[in-house]
Amino acid sequence: MRLALLASAAVVAVAAASSASAEEGMWTFDNFPVARANQTLRTNIDQAFLDRVRLSSVKFGGCSAGVVSGQGLVMTNNHCVATCVANLSTPQVNYAETGFLPKSREEELKCPGATAEILTDISDVTERMHKAGEGLEGQAFTQARDAEAGRIESEACGNDPKIRCQVVSLYRGGQFKLYKYRKYSDVRLAWAPEDRAATFGGDLDNFSFPRFAVDAAFIRLYEDGKPVETPTHFAWNPNKPTEGEAVFISGNPGSTQRLLTQDQLTTIRDVVLPLDQLIASELRGRLIRYSEEGEEQAFIAMDPIVGLENTYKRGRGRMAALIDPAFMARKAEQEADFRARAAASGVDPWSALSAVQPVARELYPSMALLEGGTGLGTTSVAGGSQLFSYARTLVRGAQERAKPSDQRLPEFADSRLSGVESRLFAERPIYPELEQIRLEWWLSKTREWLTVDNPSVRTLLGKESPEGLSARLVAGTTLADPAVRRALWTGGLAAVQASTDPMIQYALAIDADARAVRDAWETRVQAPTDRASEQLAAARFAAYGDAVYPDATGTLRLTYGQVEGSDVPGQRFAAFTTFAGLWDRATGAEPFAVAPKLLAAKDRIDPNAVMDMAVSTDTIGGSSGSPAINAKGEIIGANFDSTVLTQRNAYGYDRAVNRSVIVTTQAVTVALRDVYGMDHLVRELGVSQDRER
Amino acid sequence: MRLALLASAAVVAVAAASSASAEEGMWTFDNFPVARANQTLRTNIDQAFLDRVRLSSVKFGGCSAGVVSGQGLVMTNNHCVATCVANLSTPQVNYAETGFLPKSREEELKCPGATAEILTDISDVTERMHKAGEGLEGQAFTQARDAEAGRIESEACGNDPKIRCQVVSLYRGGQFKLYKYRKYSDVRLAWAPEDRAATFGGDLDNFSFPRFAVDAAFIRLYEDGKPVETPTHFAWNPNKPTEGEAVFISGNPGSTQRLLTQDQLTTIRDVVLPLDQLIASELRGRLIRYSEEGEEQAFIAMDPIVGLENTYKRGRGRMAALIDPAFMARKAEQEADFRARAAASGVDPWSALSAVQPVARELYPSMALLEGGTGLGTTSVAGGSQLFSYARTLVRGAQERAKPSDQRLPEFADSRLSGVESRLFAERPIYPELEQIRLEWWLSKTREWLTVDNPSVRTLLGKESPEGLSARLVAGTTLADPAVRRALWTGGLAAVQASTDPMIQYALAIDADARAVRDAWETRVQAPTDRASEQLAAARFAAYGDAVYPDATGTLRLTYGQVEGSDVPGQRFAAFTTFAGLWDRATGAEPFAVAPKLLAAKDRIDPNAVMDMAVSTDTIGGSSGSPAINAKGEIIGANFDSTVLTQRNAYGYDRAVNRSVIVTTQAVTVALRDVYGMDHLVRELGVSQDRER
């Protein structure tokens, strides 16, 4: 027994030493471990494979997607187009209920505000970025680097609306790369199934396997009113996948915190997750009750509730990891190994990061609630009110554009203005009741967490109540009208200051407090963290060489693994689910009622066709919609989830429990052909119209 | 600097050694440290003082109270009569809004289901209880002790409805005492102020100081339709208190966990508090939205929201302690000191308790959600639905009464049946919508936390949804009618089994699963915990002697301290607040609007009269309403709260931050005389009708 334990500790040490177990890692395309992947998977991929995959992979908002035809057709998840579907729907014509089923390309509809991007170039700008911060401390350090990033982006991309440039920080500042994207601003919805076909099992089955969801949808890239030609794309493979086969997943995982120290993780466990989760839970309650007040309310609340429940459940999975003694012991061992190797160098970023934690703990609630964008948690300013977000963008955009680009808040640098504008001007529905609920909840939670006598809370509320103030702002504002927003944006600071719109006035009134807390955060938390993380990254390269991969940053990565079930306690399942399993699990009661059109097609569907599969690939939120590719470069599915145990993935890959959940191209083929009659898409994908049984 | 730190560590060690700092301790009346209190406070109290205080102290539900006249008049907090006020009110005649202001004793109204008790005798039954458990393990151990407690209680009290006997476990099983109470089952409301006068500042000012709340009310004990004569009572002192003066607080603090080990506290931090708080937060959101749907909804939701927010905020205070590195380091030092002293004895209860924790972590969610009564957290079965609670009592009462008393679930032992009946038969309003919200929330949270495929969840829901099932049960049940409940209770098992009431049928259907999880909890968690805690208690007596006091258990305790402000970061305030301060803090907007009658009396009120005061006494929930007494034995206030930093009190007394919050008798005198015209009570208290300025 003793020996066995020691042996297992040795394995952990080796894993820590190489910093990646066999299938671990969300690798950048310019540092993908081709040899190791081929050895692990018995495949034979090469640089040409990597280039083809990269150029067929799409970043679609916070999701990922893959080009599947030569005419700009792109597969992603249905939940990635849910906001688009909601924006195109009304309570009367509700595409979430019916599916969005255009009979031809002419009926495809533009998703308001949506863009899609393909990564075309990667170049190294580490030296310029490090030089920009040299010798600086605190906010001066942060600002100088932000300004340099803005300059690099502008120099490389100019004002071309078809290209986006982004300086990406990798290894928490250890490297900086310039990513260049081909950008498409006319993205149309080409197919979405009934929402219930994609979300069967609802929040209860979310983050779990076995799973019975056709969480797929198609968009199409347009330019100059015509579909974009995309000669480089994935070939569509409509066949049943094989257990054990190799799978590559190419997508844009949003954020991991694997390089965080123990002390940083403790801050997340004690302060960040509890605040985020507790207040989200209350909003969930408010929205659930609201959705029960009538059919229109149910329609309005659906999309927000789904999003909220997803974030909340992910948070529970992460908390489960942070309180798991075995998992945290392994993290501690890895840190001990690393510190021992780094001890000789004389730098001690761990102590610097420890010293930051009490400040981060103190400032997190005000930063999260007044400003948002902490980089740590999910709480955002104004409770996610769209109207307030417009107001703040207009106010700050006006203030910032009056300065030279390199002195602005980085989100308003010249290189980023076109993105800001396309989000600001996009036409999308605004539901005043929903806005009021969000603002009331945010004001009341901010008062509760910062306490009633906090000076910023006094600024926020004056003598008003959260109920009264939120009602007044929502009733009085005209920012729901895109023309009003455009006029204020164009009018600049003078127009904004002269505006009598209560939401604009409110955003102006509370701006100084929000900027002050952001200043404090950047000076006392962000800058020293960035500085220490850069040292940590250098130490990590010195200790483990190229065998380390960077934390996810919402940019394109490639990960690999195998089709595989699971046999750990609390998570036992086979590698596949079939349509037969769906019919079995259905109870008729929500959320286990089968979508009507899907149910009506039951007799036409091969019960043994595979719906979803589990894969050992290393994915995380943002990987949604990522193409799953076989060793021949054919698309065999779209990643749409991972199990709740996999949520520890934020802090470390755990081969035993890590499973991505994939909707198969076989299931999508069945849905298009046998359920929804999308014949023109079936033809476009090159699939036979005949069912194979 | 180094020296200072070492000195402070030494102080900690001394405190740990004596196991109580100067004003620490919720002492039992039969082990009160008279000499130490007199020395610390420069007072001169004696056994006669203790006896008088004990016989003037009242247990009133989950609250405390004090007798203040010879005619059974008792002062407690307004929030302790809030449920009584809600039960006596309708949306049309709403005493919470107007205050309850009877002009004479004849207008005093009975509080449904309320009882009051005075502790008359304490005797030691440790030997009998320890002997009952000797040589037993697991559930046999728990059952044998429960049965022995029931026997002791029955032998001592028989069936006399005017006496209640209770075997109290002290020092987590280190001692057992038999407490004998004189019980009063006719408790009438004699005065309650406008709710807003008692709750000024609402949830925002709750658990804080400075405070501007007249959180006081009067009840009166009746027997045979007449006020009870109470020659032993506190003399009323209407005068301004003095900073630094000695204060004794006599009440029934509910529960502390100071004797828990580090590992037990970690379970609370990681598992118990997160579940309790997260799901409570969602219910809070549902109820807040519900309360905004109309005036009647606001009326119905008010009392539940106040109770929920109170529990939730307390939980936040406790979590703050468990994640406070300094506070937890001190707890760790105390444990290290204790373990070092106990090492020689050869027993190691710490390891036994560590071994229980993984089981407790695993079972807590199902125990809390299916059965309740974990003794650790606040989550209870059926979301606090009153109708379900009736149904479970009827079902289990029928099943259990068919067995001999010592083989029953302990809550149905003969000695406890009269209490069960008086709660079951009490007439109180039931609000179906509120019941439905609670049940729906509970079903949906149970399904979420235990997961949809859990067999108990399948039993709970069958093919129904939480929405549908909760609506069906509430619409169909007739248990809101006390006559129906009485008939089913009297009819016993046959009547219960024959009942077609859906709530009864539901309670029957899910009972086996709930009992099974309780069995598992008692066998695998409770019994080994009790056994180890008993060893720990023995070790503690051996190490620290009589200088240790038991954890709070909802029974009568005496604590002492001084009127004192606070000067620690995040909590700076003077010792008193005055009515002048109230007028200053008022904004006119809820919850900072002054109650109308109180506001109308502004000119009659001495602005320098003291409203509330802070005292360094060691109190916790359950101490609400506790008489605050000066060294002469006069009542000078009623404890109604403590600051949020004081919530660490559950785990350890911290002299620097611990402050109880007391409404003064001066403020109550002002309210009775100058605001509400309660002349007959003013006379009864022996106060001059003239204002003193």
Side-chain angles (χ1 to χ4, degrees):
Chain A
M1 197 63 197
R2 199 77 209 277
L3 255 176
L5 276 173
L6 283 173
S8 126
V11 167
V12 166
V14 169
S18 72
S19 229
S21 63
E23 286 152 293
E24 175 173 355
M26 302 177 185
W27 300 91
T28 52
F29 271 76
D30 56 353
N31 186 36
F32 187 80
V34 174
R36 190 161 79 179
N38 279 332
Q39 190 188 353
T40 306
L41 304 174
R42 297 160 197 247
T43 54
N44 196 24
I45 66 158
D46 55 14
Q47 185 60 41
F49 175 95
L50 294 180
D51 290 344
R52 245 184 357 259
V53 168
R54 173 171 54 80
L55 290 169
S56 306
S57 298
V58 176
K59 182 170 167 61
F60 175 55
C63 281
S64 302
V67 187
V68 292
S69 87
Q71 294 81 48
L73 190 66
V74 171
M75 177 163 71
T76 185
N77 294 147
N78 184 68
H79 76 260
C80 294
V81 302
T83 301
C84 172
V85 167
N87 286 343
L88 296 175
S89 296
T90 63
Q92 289 72 44
V93 183
N94 186 354
Y95 295 123
E97 218 170 283
T98 61
F100 179 74
L101 311 171
K103 287 294 150 224
S104 68
R105 286 187 201 167
E106 287 64 41
E107 294 178 17
E108 293 171 357
L109 293 179
K110 186 170 176 180
C111 288
T115 58
E117 299 173 330
I118 293 177
L119 177 61
T120 54
D121 283 295
I122 302 177
S123 54
D124 195 311
V125 294
T126 307
E127 210 183 312
R128 272 187 74 171
M129 288 295 291
H130 280 178
K131 192 166 272 174
E134 247 170 41
L136 299 174
E137 294 291 338
Q139 215 178 3
F141 171 78
T142 315
Q143 275 176 346
R145 299 231 292 207
D146 286 341
E148 184 70 6
R151 269 190 300 271
I152 293 170
E153 291 168 0
S154 284
E155 285 166 19
C157 280
N159 286 322
D160 189 340
K162 295 185 175 176
I163 308 177
R164 186 169 76 92
C165 281
Q166 178 190 20
V167 171
V168 177
S169 162
L170 300 171
Y171 303 97
R172 303 206 164 259
Q175 280 183 356
F176 288 88
K177 298 278 171 106
L178 175 65
Y179 277 36
K180 206 164 175 176
Y181 301 90
R182 182 66 167 83
K183 181 175 168 185
Y184 302 95
S185 302
D186 182 355
V187 175
R188 304 193 189 172
L189 192 60
W191 170 67
E194 299 153 285
D195 190 79
R196 284 198 277 177
T199 62
F200 180 84
D203 178 58
L204 298 161
D205 274 7
N206 194 18
F207 293 120
S208 75
F209 202 82
R211 194 68 165 279
F212 304 88
V214 189
D215 193 352
F218 286 108
I219 53 177
R220 193 187 298 277
L221 312 180
Y222 278 76
E223 219 158 41
D224 307 321
K226 290 194 299 267
V228 170
E229 296 206 0
T230 45
T232 305
H233 63 267
F234 295 117
W236 186 265
N237 180 333
N239 303 320
K240 199 187 288 284
T242 316
E243 193 160 346
E245 81 172 293
V247 179
F248 297 84
I249 293 194
S250 166
N252 302 274
S255 170
T256 56
Q257 282 97 42
R258 295 192 188 167
L259 306 184
L260 262 45
T261 63
Q262 296 284 300
D263 287 337
Q264 290 177 296
L265 291 177
T266 302
T267 297
I268 292 176
R269 183 194 72 191
D270 288 353
V271 178
V272 175
L273 274 173
L275 185 155
D276 292 356
Q277 294 286 93
L278 284 171
I279 72 170
S281 191
E282 187 187 314
L283 178 61
R284 188 184 184 194
R286 289 180 184 231
L287 288 175
I288 286 173
R289 180 69 206 178
Y290 171 71
S291 76
E292 292 174 346
E293 289 170 11
E295 274 184 33
E296 191 178 342
Q297 288 89 339
F299 168 78
I300 292 171
M302 188 181 110
D303 193 37
I305 288 176
V306 168
L308 186 62
E309 288 182 338
N310 190 64
T311 305
Y312 175 79
K313 196 164 187 177
R314 189 187 68 195
R316 280 195 53 209
R318 292 186 175 190
M319 189 55 117
L322 293 176
I323 64 169
D324 176 344
F327 182 76
M328 291 310 289
R330 207 159 60 218
K331 291 288 293 179
E333 277 168 29
Q334 288 171 357
E335 181 162 307
D337 179 84
F338 183 17
R339 290 187 80 150
R341 286 162 189 257
S345 75
V347 298
D348 182 6
W350 288 274
S351 299
L353 289 167
S354 296
V356 170
Q357 299 319 303
V359 188
R361 283 169 167 250
E362 182 200 332
L363 292 182
Y364 179 74
S366 49
M367 178 64 182
L369 290 160
L370 299 177
E371 176 66 17
T374 58
L376 289 180
T378 56
T379 293
S380 65
V381 65
S385 156
Q386 188 60 51
L387 292 170
F388 180 84
S389 163
Y390 289 146
R392 175 166 280 183
T393 299
L394 288 167
V395 164
R396 291 205 173 160
Q399 292 165 341
E400 296 298 307
R401 282 179 299 152
K403 307 174 195 168
S405 177
D406 64 0
Q407 288 168 34
R408 297 179 199 157
L409 295 174
E411 62 268 32
F412 292 104
D414 277 338
S415 57
R416 291 165 195 165
L417 285 182
S418 76
V420 173
E421 288 180 353
S422 79
R423 284 188 295 277
L424 184 63
F425 300 157
E427 191 140 358
R428 45 185 290 189
I430 297 286
Y431 301 103
E433 284 193 333
L434 180 64
E435 292 285 311
Q436 192 269 322
I437 288 173
R438 287 187 180 280
L439 284 168
E440 176 187 320
W441 162 73
W442 165 65
L443 289 166
S444 110
K445 292 306 98 184
T446 302
R447 182 170 66 174
E448 180 174 335
W449 283 78
L450 306 190
T451 76
V452 68
D453 293 317
N454 177 297
S456 294
V457 172
R458 287 174 187 268
T459 306
L460 225 53
L461 280 164
K463 295 244 167 189
E464 289 181 281
S465 67
E467 298 75 21
L469 175 58
S470 58
R472 179 173 70 76
L473 294 178
V474 171
T477 185
T478 59
L479 293 182
D481 180 352
V484 171
R485 303 197 293 269
R486 193 180 281 272
L488 282 166
W489 180 260
T490 313
L493 197 52
V496 163
Q497 283 171 339
S499 168
T500 58
D501 188 287
M503 196 68 84
I504 291 285
Q505 289 181 330
Y506 189 65
L508 273 170
I510 68 172
D511 204 50
D513 280 67
R515 282 180 182 256
V517 74
R518 176 167 171 170
D519 278 3
W521 180 267
E522 289 181 350
T523 307
R524 299 175 59 204
V525 178
Q526 202 56 56
T529 300
D530 287 352
R531 171 68 82 193
S533 302
E534 198 181 304
Q535 293 175 346
L536 214 51
R540 194 177 293 270
F541 286 130
Y544 304 110
D546 251 9
V548 294
Y549 57 92
D551 262 327
T553 53
T555 52
L556 194 66
R557 302 297 175 87
L558 190 62
T559 166
Y560 61 99
Q562 297 163 60
V563 175
E564 189 175 313
S566 163
D567 200 28
V568 301
Q571 183 179 287
R572 294 184 204 281
F573 48 75
F576 299 125
T577 61
T578 63
F579 281 86
L582 168 66
W583 315 131
D584 274 357
R585 190 165 179 79
T587 66
E590 287 301 348
F592 297 104
V594 178
K597 287 173 183 152
L598 179 54
L599 187 61
K602 183 172 177 182
D603 291 343
R604 293 194 295 274
I605 296 174
D606 175 2
N608 298 319
V610 169
M611 288 194 87
D612 299 331
M613 61 182 172
V615 176
S616 62
T617 38
D618 190 0
T619 58
I620 199 160
S623 302
S624 276
S626 296
I629 309 143
N630 66 16
K632 289 188 276 181
E634 298 166 341
I635 191 164
I636 59 169
N639 183 45
F640 73 96
D641 201 6
S642 53
T643 65
V644 76
L645 275 179
T646 306
Q647 303 317 306
R648 59 184 53 186
N649 224 9
Y651 313 119
Y653 177 84
D654 187 341
R655 177 67 176 81
V657 308
N658 191 102
R659 292 298 179 273
S660 306
V661 178
I662 314 280
V663 55
T664 64
T665 42
Q666 187 178 36
V668 177
T669 304
V670 164
L672 292 171
R673 186 188 59 204
D674 305 333
V675 181
Y676 296 106
M678 302 298 292
D679 299 344
H680 65 289
L681 293 185
V682 174
R683 272 194 304 274
E684 185 172 346
L685 294 170
V687 177
S688 155
Q689 301 278 339
D690 301 326
R691 289 196 300 137
E692 303 143 39
R693 283 205 85 132
Chain B
M1 198 64 197
R2 200 79 209 277
L3 254 176
L5 276 173
L6 284 172
S8 125
V11 168
V12 166
V14 169
S18 70
S19 227
S21 62
E23 286 152 292
E24 175 174 357
M26 301 176 186
W27 300 92
T28 52
F29 271 76
D30 56 353
N31 186 33
F32 187 81
V34 175
R36 191 160 79 177
N38 279 333
Q39 191 189 351
T40 305
L41 304 175
R42 298 161 196 242
T43 52
N44 196 24
I45 65 160
D46 55 14
Q47 187 59 41
F49 174 96
L50 294 180
D51 291 344
R52 240 180 7 254
V53 168
R54 173 171 55 78
L55 291 169
S56 306
S57 298
V58 177
K59 184 170 165 63
F60 173 58
C63 280
S64 302
V67 187
V68 292
S69 86
Q71 292 83 47
L73 190 65
V74 171
M75 176 163 72
T76 186
N77 294 145
N78 184 68
H79 76 262
C80 294
V81 302
T83 302
C84 171
V85 167
N87 286 344
L88 296 175
S89 297
T90 63
Q92 289 72 45
V93 183
N94 186 353
Y95 295 123
E97 219 169 282
T98 60
F100 179 74
L101 310 171
K103 288 293 152 228
S104 68
R105 285 185 201 168
E106 287 63 40
E107 294 178 17
E108 293 172 354
L109 292 180
K110 187 170 174 178
C111 287
T115 58
E117 299 174 332
I118 293 175
L119 177 61
T120 53
D121 282 296
I122 302 176
S123 54
D124 196 310
V125 294
T126 308
E127 210 181 315
R128 272 187 74 172
M129 288 295 292
H130 281 178
K131 192 166 272 176
E134 246 169 40
L136 300 175
E137 293 293 335
Q139 214 176 4
F141 170 77
T142 315
Q143 276 175 345
R145 298 232 291 208
D146 285 340
E148 184 69 7
R151 270 191 298 271
I152 292 170
E153 292 168 2
S154 284
E155 286 166 18
C157 280
N159 286 322
D160 189 339
K162 294 186 176 178
I163 307 177
R164 186 170 75 94
C165 281
Q166 179 191 19
V167 171
V168 177
S169 162
L170 298 172
Y171 304 97
R172 303 206 164 260
Q175 280 182 357
F176 290 86
K177 299 279 171 104
L178 175 65
Y179 278 36
K180 208 165 175 176
Y181 301 90
R182 182 67 167 84
K183 181 176 167 183
Y184 301 94
S185 303
D186 182 354
V187 176
R188 304 194 189 172
L189 191 60
W191 170 67
E194 298 153 285
D195 190 79
R196 283 198 276 174
T199 62
F200 180 84
D203 178 57
L204 299 161
D205 275 5
N206 194 17
F207 292 121
S208 76
F209 203 81
R211 195 69 164 279
F212 303 89
V214 189
D215 192 353
F218 286 107
I219 52 176
R220 193 187 299 276
L221 312 179
Y222 278 75
E223 218 158 40
D224 308 320
K226 289 194 299 268
V228 170
E229 297 208 359
T230 45
T232 305
H233 64 266
F234 296 118
W236 186 264
N237 179 335
N239 304 320
K240 199 187 289 284
T242 315
E243 192 159 347
E245 81 171 295
V247 178
F248 297 83
I249 293 194
S250 167
N252 302 274
S255 171
T256 55
Q257 282 97 42
R258 296 192 188 168
L259 306 183
L260 296 194
T261 64
Q262 295 284 301
D263 287 337
Q264 290 177 296
L265 291 177
T266 302
T267 298
I268 293 177
R269 183 195 71 189
D270 289 352
V271 178
V272 176
L273 273 174
L275 186 155
D276 292 356
Q277 294 287 92
L278 283 171
I279 71 170
S281 190
E282 188 186 314
L283 178 59
R284 188 183 183 195
R286 290 181 184 230
L287 289 176
I288 286 173
R289 180 70 204 177
Y290 171 70
S291 76
E292 293 175 346
E293 289 170 11
E295 273 183 34
E296 191 177 342
Q297 287 88 340
F299 168 79
I300 291 171
M302 188 182 111
D303 194 35
I305 288 177
V306 168
L308 186 61
E309 289 184 336
N310 189 63
T311 305
Y312 175 80
K313 195 164 188 177
R314 188 187 69 194
R316 280 195 54 208
R318 290 186 176 190
M319 190 53 116
L322 294 175
I323 64 169
D324 176 344
F327 181 76
M328 291 310 289
R330 205 158 60 217
K331 290 289 293 178
E333 277 167 28
Q334 288 170 357
E335 181 162 308
D337 180 85
F338 182 17
R339 290 186 81 150
R341 285 161 190 257
S345 76
V347 298
D348 182 7
W350 288 274
S351 299
L353 289 167
S354 296
V356 170
Q357 299 319 304
V359 189
R361 283 169 167 251
E362 183 199 332
L363 292 182
Y364 179 74
S366 49
M367 177 64 182
L369 289 160
L370 298 176
E371 177 66 16
T374 58
L376 289 180
T378 55
T379 294
S380 64
V381 66
S385 156
Q386 188 61 49
L387 291 169
F388 180 85
S389 164
Y390 289 145
R392 175 164 280 182
T393 299
L394 288 166
V395 164
R396 292 208 172 157
Q399 293 165 339
E400 296 299 308
R401 282 178 300 152
K403 308 173 194 168
S405 178
D406 64 359
Q407 289 168 34
R408 295 178 200 158
L409 295 175
E411 63 268 32
F412 293 102
D414 278 337
S415 57
R416 292 166 194 164
L417 285 181
S418 77
V420 173
E421 290 180 352
S422 79
R423 283 188 295 277
L424 184 64
F425 301 157
E427 189 141 358
R428 45 184 289 189
I430 298 284
Y431 303 104
E433 285 194 331
L434 180 65
E435 292 285 309
Q436 192 270 324
I437 289 173
R438 287 186 180 280
L439 284 168
E440 177 188 321
W441 162 74
W442 165 65
L443 289 166
S444 111
K445 292 307 97 183
T446 303
R447 181 170 68 174
E448 180 174 334
W449 283 79
L450 306 189
T451 77
V452 67
D453 294 317
N454 177 296
S456 293
V457 172
R458 286 172 189 269
T459 307
L460 224 52
L461 280 164
K463 295 242 168 191
E464 289 181 282
S465 67
E467 298 75 23
L469 175 57
S470 57
R472 178 173 71 75
L473 294 177
V474 172
T477 185
T478 59
L479 293 182
D481 180 353
V484 172
R485 303 196 294 269
R486 193 179 282 272
L488 282 166
W489 180 261
T490 313
L493 198 51
V496 163
Q497 283 172 339
S499 168
T500 58
D501 188 288
M503 195 68 82
I504 291 285
Q505 290 181 329
Y506 189 67
L508 273 169
I510 69 172
D511 203 50
D513 280 65
R515 282 177 180 259
V517 73
R518 176 169 170 168
D519 278 3
W521 179 267
E522 287 180 352
T523 307
R524 299 175 60 205
V525 178
Q526 200 57 57
T529 300
D530 286 352
R531 173 65 84 193
S533 302
E534 197 179 305
Q535 293 175 347
L536 215 51
R540 194 177 294 271
F541 286 130
Y544 304 109
D546 252 10
V548 294
Y549 58 93
D551 261 327
T553 53
T555 51
L556 195 64
R557 303 295 175 88
L558 190 61
T559 167
Y560 60 99
Q562 297 163 58
V563 175
E564 190 174 313
S566 163
D567 200 28
V568 301
Q571 184 177 288
R572 295 184 202 281
F573 49 74
F576 299 124
T577 61
T578 62
F579 281 86
L582 170 65
W583 315 132
D584 274 355
R585 190 165 179 78
T587 67
E590 285 303 348
F592 297 105
V594 178
K597 285 174 184 154
L598 179 53
L599 187 60
K602 184 172 174 182
D603 291 343
R604 293 195 296 275
I605 296 174
D606 175 1
N608 298 319
V610 169
M611 288 194 87
D612 299 332
M613 61 182 173
V615 177
S616 62
T617 39
D618 190 0
T619 58
I620 200 161
S623 301
S624 276
S626 297
I629 309 142
N630 65 17
K632 288 188 276 183
E634 297 166 340
I635 190 164
I636 60 168
N639 183 44
F640 72 97
D641 200 7
S642 54
T643 65
V644 76
L645 275 179
T646 306
Q647 303 317 304
R648 59 186 52 188
N649 224 10
Y651 313 119
Y653 177 84
D654 186 342
R655 176 66 174 82
V657 309
N658 190 104
R659 293 295 179 276
S660 306
V661 178
I662 315 280
V663 54
T664 63
T665 43
Q666 186 178 35
V668 177
T669 305
V670 164
L672 293 172
R673 185 188 59 203
D674 304 333
V675 182
Y676 296 106
M678 300 299 291
D679 298 344
H680 66 288
L681 293 184
V682 173
R683 271 193 305 275
E684 184 171 346
L685 294 170
V687 176
S688 153
Q689 301 278 342
D690 302 324
R691 288 195 302 135
E692 303 144 38
R693 283 206 84 135

